[in-house]
Amino acid sequence: MSRKEPDEKMRLYTDSRVQLFIGKFLNGELERLYPVLDEKLGYRYPAVETFVDNPEEAEAFLRSLESNKLLTSEICGVLLYCPECGSCSVEEVLRRANSISKEKTGTSDAEPSADAGWRCRDCGALIKKGALSAKPVFSYKFSQKGIDEISDRLAIKPLLEFLHERGYNTESPGYMTGDSEVEHIFDITAMGEDQNDVILALDFVVSEESVGEDKVISMFAKVFDTNPPRSILVAFPGLTKKAKKLAEQYEIDVVETHDLDVLWKKLRKVIPPVDEFSFETLDVMTLLSLPDHLRKTASMVCEKGKTTADEVAKMTQKARAVESSYLNQLVRMGYLKKERKGRQVLFSVIS
């Protein structure tokens, strides 16, 4: 085996996109991927587009998984396209030359001949019957055998299994919209059985060496904007000392492990069963225990019942950014609940 082959496999194992994509198969959400027609691209793989930067990269992503025996492919159709410009936007020419005006065709001096079969809508080229270019189009299927062979490197599988065993509903990848109205992607978001609100946001990283601060900073940016009640970073094999210190400062729980077999044991220490996931009651004694600045903000929310950072800022006569920070801190502490309705972010006391 060449050095290039194991290096390529290692790159795939440590790519969270690959892990999350395979997780869709392990969850039963995907089994076979079929292309759909697209006027601009010819065809697309919508189920893959979440995991690549743009739709044009989807097939290359699938091919790389196939070359590493995680997928198998078979021809499911043929795409016809213009041999001049490569566009698949072609139309059949049914009428004879003398019935087609230059104004309608948009061509220069060349009129379509009687035996012209196709016209490219993009470049205007006239293509005789049988002269269109063609390429095969593939569907892809997950290879259970290939996935079984790398099961000891798949972090997504035990993470999802653990959360389901603890009673959580999950989405992977999971989406949360922040105060900035930017939609952020977490590797996994977890909800309770009877609620749609995210109560836990989780990212994981698989590496051959200790993971540095960049991953922690990246996760904190998402957590700061979205404020999930609990945020967890799972690192294989672990974080550097600086990264761990930063995660502690950012109040991100960290789980480190070299061995997937002991992952559940470590997760149990930081993730309770869903029915034990508790929020603090904001009663009188709790209010008195809060620092003055948070107590005033919390009291305003108690008074209003459900309110926004703008409304609280008007009542406390502080800057909106300051009150937004206080409100989000109370959310992270488990005293307040945050929800989005349209463009508004509403805060309320957890009952």
Side-chain angles (χ1 to χ4, degrees):
M1 183 182 291
S2 68
R3 178 174 178 79
K4 182 178 179 181
E5 185 174 348
D7 285 349
E8 172 68 10
K9 283 185 176 291
M10 187 56 61
R11 183 188 66 79
L12 285 175
Y13 301 154
T14 57
D15 187 340
S16 63
R17 300 177 308 164
V18 174
Q19 297 253 355
L20 294 172
F21 182 60
I22 293 175
K24 292 287 187 183
F25 166 70
L26 298 173
N27 259 352
E29 297 178 49
L30 287 177
E31 182 175 351
R32 185 181 289 274
L33 296 102
Y34 290 98
V36 298
L37 290 175
D38 182 89
E39 187 171 342
K40 181 180 178 182
L41 300 177
Y43 58 92
R44 296 166 50 190
Y45 294 91
V48 185
E49 291 174 10
T50 300
F51 306 95
V52 294
D53 294 331
N54 56 68
E56 290 89 341
E57 297 177 6
E59 189 160 23
F61 179 77
L62 293 171
R63 290 287 190 189
S64 69
L65 296 181
E66 182 186 24
S67 67
N68 284 279
K69 300 180 180 179
L70 299 176
L71 295 176
T72 59
S73 67
E74 61 181 45
I75 295 176
C76 64
V78 176
L79 179 72
L80 302 178
Y81 61 94
C82 173
E84 299 296 327
C85 70
S87 170
C88 63
S89 182
V90 295
E91 60 183 351
E92 190 172 7
V93 178
L94 299 176
R95 291 177 290 173
R96 298 180 65 84
N98 58 11
S99 66
I100 303 176
S101 67
K102 292 181 182 179
E103 290 78 9
K104 287 186 178 180
T105 63
T107 59
S108 55
D109 294 329
E111 289 281 355
S113 62
D115 62 345
W118 303 89
R119 177 185 295 107
C120 176
R121 292 193 183 100
D122 285 343
C123 71
L126 298 171
I127 308 148
K128 291 185 178 181
K129 288 187 181 293
L132 279 174
S133 296
K135 65 177 291 188
V137 180
F138 296 88
S139 66
Y140 293 85
K141 185 178 181 180
F142 286 92
S143 167
Q144 184 66 64
K145 180 180 178 182
I147 291 173
D148 287 344
E149 289 176 355
I150 64 165
S151 60
D152 61 330
R153 306 304 299 266
L154 289 176
I156 187 67
K157 181 179 180 181
L159 288 172
L160 290 173
E161 288 176 347
F162 175 83
L163 290 168
H164 295 160
E165 188 270 343
R166 300 242 106 179
Y168 295 91
N169 292 319
T170 61
E171 289 185 358
S172 178
Y175 299 85
M176 294 184 70
T177 302
D179 292 343
S180 65
E181 298 186 10
V182 172
E183 187 176 63
H184 298 279
I185 303 176
F186 291 92
D187 292 338
I188 302 173
T189 53
M191 294 72 66
E193 290 181 333
D194 300 320
Q195 61 187 44
N196 294 319
D197 294 331
V198 172
I199 57 178
L200 188 153
L202 185 149
D203 274 352
F204 67 87
V205 57
V206 179
S207 177
E208 283 298 288
E209 54 190 23
S210 295
V211 180
E213 302 99 298
D214 288 350
K215 182 63 179 179
V216 178
I217 294 170
S218 173
M219 186 173 188
F220 174 70
K222 298 186 292 184
V223 169
F224 183 80
D225 196 26
T226 58
N227 276 286
R230 195 78 174 274
S231 53
I232 298 172
L233 176 61
V234 180
F236 304 87
L239 300 180
T240 63
K241 289 183 179 180
K242 287 184 178 180
K244 279 191 277 191
K245 186 175 181 180
L246 199 59
E248 183 179 355
Q249 182 179 341
Y250 289 162
E251 298 181 348
I252 296 174
D253 291 320
V254 175
V255 174
E256 301 173 285
T257 182
H258 292 268
D259 188 353
L260 288 176
D261 291 336
V262 300
L263 178 60
W264 275 40
K265 182 178 180 180
K266 295 196 172 187
L267 288 172
R268 288 182 188 278
K269 296 179 180 179
V270 295
I271 303 177
V274 69
D275 55 2
E276 295 178 16
F277 196 103
S278 61
F279 297 92
E280 298 292 335
T281 303
L282 201 55
D283 54 22
V284 174
M285 294 305 296
T286 303
L287 279 172
L288 291 174
S289 70
L290 293 173
D292 290 344
H293 62 290
L294 293 181
R295 185 188 311 126
K296 188 172 184 180
T297 299
S299 297
M300 295 299 102
V301 178
C302 290
E303 181 181 325
K304 295 286 290 185
K306 187 174 286 189
T307 187
T308 65
D310 286 318
E311 291 172 339
V312 174
K314 288 178 182 177
M315 290 187 287
T316 62
Q317 297 185 338
K318 293 179 181 176
R320 182 200 177 281
V322 172
E323 286 300 345
S324 178
S325 175
Y326 293 166
L327 288 164
N328 284 318
Q329 188 174 344
L330 288 165
V331 170
R332 289 193 295 272
M333 293 170 71
Y335 295 124
L336 298 183
K337 174 184 176 182
K338 183 170 78 169
E339 60 184 309
R340 177 176 290 276
K341 286 194 175 180
R343 298 176 66 89
Q344 274 195 326
V345 177
L346 299 172
F347 297 87
S348 58
V349 176
I350 296 172
S351 56

